[in-house]
Amino acid sequence: MGRKIFKKMNKVVLLVIYINFLQTQIIDLNENQNKNNNLVLDKAIEDYTKLQKKYSDNKNINFNLGNLLYANNNLDQAIKEFNKSLEIDNNKLKSESYYNLGNVYYKSGDLENSLNHYRKALELNPNDYDAIHNYELVQKIQKQQENSEQQDES
């Protein structure tokens, strides 16, 4: 009876070791994937920066560059590019730029600016369900923070 338990324990130990090995392999793959993604993003940012210099009046380039910078976590530069993309008479692009600015400000922790930009996006496109969702979510988060601060003061 003792041998059967010992054999089962060995199998369990080997299984745990194998699972740990697989997890390290997955982590290594994810790290390599992240490095490759960063290289692709850096190259795309470089290419869009060149395009921007060549076609400085094309605000779609600013918008796309802002998206790339946001994806690369370069939030200050993303804000600049999205603001440049607002200098156009295209309400669809403006609405999307305001929405993306709301996302950037949310990610940077500036909830008030985030709400303001989602609101502007909704003024231009009241049926933007993503903007509606994010606006409501940020409102809830802001209220929770205010309630938490009030409780801390009590």
Side-chain angles (χ1 to χ4, degrees):
M1 186 170 198
R3 284 186 172 173
K4 287 183 183 180
I5 293 174
F6 184 70
K7 285 182 181 181
K8 285 182 182 181
M9 286 178 54
N10 279 342
K11 288 180 182 180
V12 170
V13 169
L14 288 174
L15 182 60
V16 169
I17 291 170
Y18 183 67
I19 290 171
N20 284 336
F21 170 76
L22 289 177
Q23 287 175 335
T24 59
Q25 295 301 310
I26 291 169
I27 290 169
D28 288 344
L29 286 173
N30 286 337
E31 287 175 0
N32 287 334
Q33 183 70 34
N34 288 339
K35 288 176 187 175
N36 289 337
N37 287 345
N38 288 340
L39 291 174
V40 170
L41 269 176
D42 290 343
K43 176 69 172 129
I45 289 169
E46 180 184 322
D47 291 346
Y48 263 91
T49 302
K50 289 177 186 175
L51 283 172
Q52 183 186 42
K53 290 176 184 171
K54 189 172 182 179
Y55 304 102
S56 59
D57 290 341
N58 188 333
K59 300 305 173 188
N60 287 304
I61 293 173
N62 297 103
F63 179 80
N64 290 337
L65 182 55
N67 285 328
L68 292 168
L69 291 163
Y70 176 78
N72 206 31
N73 212 30
N74 190 338
L75 303 182
D76 291 335
Q77 280 301 114
I79 289 170
K80 289 178 185 176
E81 295 305 324
F82 288 132
N83 279 322
K84 288 178 188 175
S85 72
L86 291 171
E87 301 168 5
I88 193 170
D89 289 332
N90 179 334
N91 281 346
K92 183 178 183 326
L93 181 64
K94 275 186 181 180
S95 174
E96 291 173 358
S97 295
Y98 281 127
Y99 172 80
N100 286 353
L101 281 164
N103 289 341
V104 174
Y105 283 115
Y106 174 79
K107 190 172 185 179
S108 68
D110 187 345
L111 298 183
E112 194 61 40
N113 258 328
S114 178
L115 276 177
N116 289 336
H117 285 87
Y118 289 138
R119 188 178 304 115
K120 289 177 182 179
L122 288 169
E123 287 171 6
L124 294 170
N125 182 3
N127 297 320
D128 183 340
Y129 296 107
D130 290 332
I132 293 168
H133 171 78
N134 287 4
Y135 182 81
E136 291 172 352
L137 177 67
V138 173
Q139 276 186 320
K140 286 179 186 176
I141 292 169
Q142 202 172 38
K143 284 179 184 175
Q144 287 173 347
Q145 286 181 351
E146 289 171 4
N147 290 341
S148 177
E149 288 171 7
Q150 288 174 355
Q151 287 177 352
D152 290 345
E153 291 174 2
S154 304

